[in-house]
Amino acid sequence: MSTLKFQSQAVAKPYFAFALILFVGQILFGLIMGLQYVVGDFLAGAIPFNVARMVHTNLLIVWLLFGFMGSAYYLVPEEADTELYSPKLAIILFWVFAAAGTATILGYLLVPYSTLAEFTFNELWPTMGREFLEQPTITKIGIVVVALGFLFNLGMTILKGRKTAINMVLMTGLIGLAVFFLFAFYNPENLALDKYFWWFVVHLWVEGVWELIMGAILAYVLIKVTGVDREVIEKWLYVIIAMALISGILGTGHHFYWLATPEYWQWVGSVFSAIEPLPFFAMVLYAFNMVNRRRREHPNKAATLWALGTSVMAFLGAGVWGFLHTLAPVNYYTHGSQITAAHGHMAFYGAYAMIVMTIISYAMPKLRGIGEANSNKSQVCEMWGFWLMTVAMVFITLFLTGAGILQVWLQRLPESGEALSFMATQDKLAIFYWMREVSGVIFLLGLLAYIASFFIGGKTAEKVS
Amino acid sequence: MSESFTKGMARNIYYGGSVFFLLIFLALTFHTTKEMPQRDHRENLTESVARGKALWEDNNCIGCHTLLGEGAYFAPELGNVYTRRGGEAGFKQFFSGWLKSQPLNIPGRRQMPNFHLNDQEINDLAEFLKWTSEMNVNNWPPNIEG
């Protein structure tokens, strides 16, 4: 561990390792679902679609949270220029979160969801059964406890150390993440109110505070791999996340178009979500600009590739594909279609999966005591993983977009009586779903190549050092 | 960026701008929740509707279906299923028959599980879907197919 500046940064390692294990699980369940789209009765008894879907999306959320926590534990001590307040607390919380997360996923898989709800006394405080917030109430409480302990640990570290822009932005992002999650506990009997405040978690996470976390991690890695002056990078960081929040907060309105809400949301949502791609575009300029201005050739080429890649893919997925269907007159036809699925896949991969892999790529060689970078052979394998996953995700997005356009054409545009039914339309989309599934398999191969890179050349590099 | 635009200014835009727009968002939220009773018709929200919503959640229906366009895209939209499948005249009968005949076990077709709901529960769930269909949601979806 001699390559770490602060020994306590080592607590990031189990977080990163567990995140990647969950990522593999997420993709496997994605493939099961993808197949169920075309072979409807595949595993229907053992893993019904709703269970596979819940596991797929919950694993995504949880692995990203593990990734964010690992990132914070890695970069905050270095930014604050002091050891982490309590490495022991970080490790205890790791095990609490890992055990609770695993138990929850097993619960989804082993018992019917209604039984799980009954076991966990959902009727006393109903919070389950809403998209992405399917976790039993006790798990939700566990998440809050872990988040509070995590924020306490980081807060105490920053209080006794240096307060850089990266630290402050990361902290505001993480505090926002914890605060907005509290709306997960509010589940009124009125569906309209339920949905309205549900978006306080879902939108204000992924189109709000998570962007701060992403920006902070990207800025940190860019400083490290380019050697560009911190002042320049931090100024950019503030500008970008300011744009992200200014557009993203009222951009929540694009979820309130068809929800028993006043019609003015169609204007508010359309105008502000039209601005939402800008911070992502700025992020592309920023990442490439900083790498072009680099003052050192960092030996970790893979980490630089991830940093550039996440800016581009986040712009395409969150920015362009988001904008495609975010204006109210367009959204009227595309809302809840495969277009939404296309956007969701590329946005989550580009913005969040890739930023976590960016910092894992940068930090892992140091965490493993290898040095600044993995061996060349290992990096080549990692970059194969990058390209296979990224290109596969582009194709997944394109095929789902094709499916979505055809779905809108057949099911949404015609008048009642002439439109095809949902299931009849789905039959017509099968070819797109098959191609999506093939792309998904390639994505898995990319992920396996990425993981294999951790096992290549590690030994020889260690011997050299 | 020029030297006259400092990091301090950028920071102030971040904190100031975020707080400003958050306050506008909260004000609009306050106004929206005042307006919603006229649109969600909460006066019709009976105990049966509330029980139906709990059943909807306890069985994770959103894991396959969309409801008002949100959820999974694997199975039909149910925000307007009440009107699509017979409305006042025939919905409850259709709905009960449909739930009881699951899974259809047609080879290769997507399968809906059987949730073994009793008649009272099926009625509650139907009341919930009926109530949902009667909300004013700015004329979404575009047509009856959802």
Side-chain angles (χ1 to χ4, degrees):
Chain A
M1 293 292 160
S2 55
T3 50
L4 287 177
K5 194 167 177 201
F6 294 98
Q7 290 312 305
S8 53
Q9 289 177 288
V11 299
K13 197 173 163 185
Y15 281 88
F16 288 153
F18 198 64
L20 291 179
I21 292 170
L22 298 181
F23 187 21
V24 174
Q26 188 214 340
I27 301 310
L28 291 176
F29 278 89
L31 288 176
I32 292 173
M33 296 164 69
L35 200 51
Q36 287 175 335
Y37 256 89
V38 271
V39 185
D41 51 359
F42 175 69
L43 288 180
I47 309 177
F49 182 86
N50 73 86
V51 172
R53 208 249 184 188
M54 201 160 50
V55 175
H56 181 66
T57 54
N58 278 244
L59 281 177
L60 169 70
I61 298 166
V62 174
W63 91 255
L64 290 177
L65 290 178
F66 268 100
F68 291 162
M69 289 182 172
S71 310
Y73 285 133
Y74 186 82
L75 72 80
V76 165
E78 213 175 298
E79 284 290 304
D81 205 23
T82 173
E83 291 285 357
L84 188 64
Y85 176 73
S86 170
K88 200 184 233 173
L89 178 62
I91 293 297
I92 292 170
L93 292 177
F94 168 79
W95 285 108
V96 172
F97 196 23
T102 309
T104 303
I105 299 293
L106 287 177
Y108 294 159
L109 286 169
L110 296 178
V111 298
Y113 191 73
S114 57
T115 312
L116 184 64
E118 203 179 323
F119 280 174
T120 56
F121 307 105
N122 191 54
E123 76 277 10
L124 294 181
W125 190 354
T127 71
M128 295 173 69
R130 293 169 301 155
E131 193 188 8
F132 310 129
L133 301 182
E134 296 94 345
Q135 310 83 27
T137 308
I138 46 168
T139 307
K140 290 194 180 86
I141 294 170
I143 291 172
V144 170
V145 170
V146 170
L148 288 178
F150 165 72
L151 287 173
F152 170 75
N153 208 352
L154 288 183
M156 294 304 281
T157 311
I158 293 175
L159 277 180
K160 68 172 175 156
R162 202 162 57 135
K163 290 150 196 73
T164 65
I166 291 177
N167 265 345
M168 299 316 287
V169 171
L170 185 68
M171 271 312 271
T172 45
L174 293 169
I175 290 169
L177 183 147
V179 168
F180 288 120
F181 185 69
L182 296 179
F183 287 95
F185 292 94
Y186 176 59
N187 182 14
E189 289 174 347
N190 184 329
L191 180 74
L193 282 177
D194 169 8
K195 279 178 171 282
Y196 187 92
F197 288 101
W198 176 81
W199 284 113
F200 277 49
V201 189
V202 176
H203 173 95
L204 292 176
W205 266 20
V206 300
E207 292 173 64
V209 293
W210 282 24
E211 288 183 28
L212 309 188
I213 299 169
M214 184 207 174
I217 299 174
L218 185 62
Y220 171 82
V221 174
L222 285 176
I223 288 178
K224 296 294 168 183
V225 299
T226 65
V228 170
D229 189 22
R230 169 180 288 275
E231 284 296 306
V232 179
I233 289 194
E234 289 188 335
K235 184 159 70 178
W236 268 89
L237 172 64
Y238 273 132
V239 171
I240 287 174
I241 58 161
M243 277 196 279
L245 281 191
I246 286 170
S247 61
I249 292 171
L250 287 180
T252 317
H254 63 229
H255 302 295
F256 298 156
Y257 296 162
W258 328 116
L259 202 59
T261 43
E263 281 165 29
Y264 61 70
W265 281 113
Q266 295 183 27
W267 283 103
V268 176
S270 297
V271 168
F272 281 86
S273 41
I275 311 172
E276 278 192 64
L278 286 182
F280 287 104
F281 185 64
M283 223 181 272
V284 179
L285 295 181
Y286 160 70
F288 279 83
N289 203 346
M290 294 307 141
V291 170
N292 283 336
R293 284 207 246 168
R294 67 182 175 270
R295 293 181 177 175
R296 60 175 300 211
E297 279 303 327
H298 196 280
N300 194 341
K301 300 260 189 302
T304 312
L305 179 64
W306 280 111
L308 294 175
T310 191
S311 71
V312 173
M313 294 299 287
F315 170 63
L316 288 178
V320 177
W321 254 263
F323 180 71
L324 272 182
H325 66 141
T326 200
L327 299 178
V330 178
N331 189 261
Y332 184 63
Y333 293 101
T334 59
H335 180 52
S337 71
Q338 290 298 322
I339 307 262
T340 316
H343 158 59
H345 277 81
M346 196 190 256
F348 265 95
Y349 173 72
Y352 301 123
M354 285 179 84
I355 193 64
V356 171
M357 286 188 280
T358 301
I359 188 153
I360 291 179
S361 179
Y362 171 75
M364 263 302 189
K366 289 174 173 254
L367 285 167
R368 298 172 72 208
I370 293 168
E372 283 217 277
N374 287 322
S375 70
N376 224 13
K377 218 170 128 193
S378 162
Q379 285 194 46
V380 169
C381 185
E382 186 182 340
M383 290 196 246
W384 267 97
F386 171 94
W387 286 111
L388 282 171
M389 278 193 274
T390 304
V391 171
M393 187 51 80
V394 168
F395 278 99
I396 288 172
T397 307
L398 289 174
F399 293 140
L400 288 177
T401 306
I405 291 170
L406 191 55
Q407 182 182 14
V408 169
W409 184 263
L410 297 173
Q411 184 196 322
R412 291 272 174 83
L413 284 175
E415 297 289 317
S416 296
E418 288 166 19
L420 278 191
S421 73
F422 177 88
M423 287 305 287
T425 306
Q426 292 295 307
D427 286 340
K428 305 271 186 205
L429 310 183
I431 181 72
F432 288 107
Y433 293 142
W434 275 115
M435 293 193 289
R436 180 267 299 267
E437 184 71 355
V438 172
S439 310
V441 172
I442 294 169
F443 188 96
L444 177 66
L445 294 176
L447 177 57
L448 294 178
Y450 173 71
I451 287 173
S453 77
F454 290 97
F455 298 96
I456 291 177
K459 261 184 183 166
T460 46
E462 250 169 8
K463 268 179 201 161
V464 173
S465 68
Chain B
M1 252 171 287
S2 69
E3 291 305 309
S4 58
F5 184 72
T6 63
K7 191 170 99 180
M9 291 156 84
R11 186 186 56 222
N12 293 343
I13 294 173
Y14 165 54
Y15 286 114
S18 309
V19 170
F20 178 73
F21 282 99
L22 196 61
L23 289 176
I24 293 183
F25 181 65
L26 292 177
L28 287 177
T29 293
F30 180 74
H31 179 258
T32 298
T33 50
K34 291 269 162 218
E35 293 284 308
M36 276 167 89
Q38 283 96 56
R39 297 172 154 261
D40 61 29
H41 302 296
R42 61 189 65 175
E43 69 278 4
N44 300 329
L45 207 165
T46 61
E47 277 180 25
S48 178
V49 173
R51 284 197 302 268
K53 181 169 184 279
L55 282 165
W56 166 269
E57 289 162 358
D58 284 348
N59 292 289
N60 193 32
C61 306
I62 204 81
C64 292
H65 292 278
T66 47
L67 189 65
L68 302 178
E70 284 146 16
Y73 320 112
F74 190 68
E77 164 66 37
L78 296 188
N80 66 342
V81 70
Y82 176 77
T83 33
R84 180 163 68 244
R85 297 297 187 187
E88 193 65 58
F91 177 69
K92 283 192 175 174
Q93 203 182 356
F94 166 84
F95 188 59
S96 175
W98 180 258
L99 285 185
K100 286 176 179 172
S101 62
Q102 302 304 320
L104 296 178
N105 282 324
I106 300 168
R109 192 184 191 279
R110 297 180 192 176
Q111 302 289 332
M112 174 160 163
N114 193 310
F115 293 100
H116 307 289
L117 304 181
N118 62 37
D119 288 335
Q120 149 101 53
E121 289 170 326
I122 290 174
N123 186 61
D124 289 340
L125 203 46
E127 285 290 332
F128 168 64
L129 292 172
K130 174 176 187 281
W131 181 80
T132 302
S133 74
E134 287 165 354
M135 272 197 271
N136 174 358
V137 292
N138 298 324
N139 291 318
W140 193 88
N143 66 41
I144 197 82
E145 297 302 343

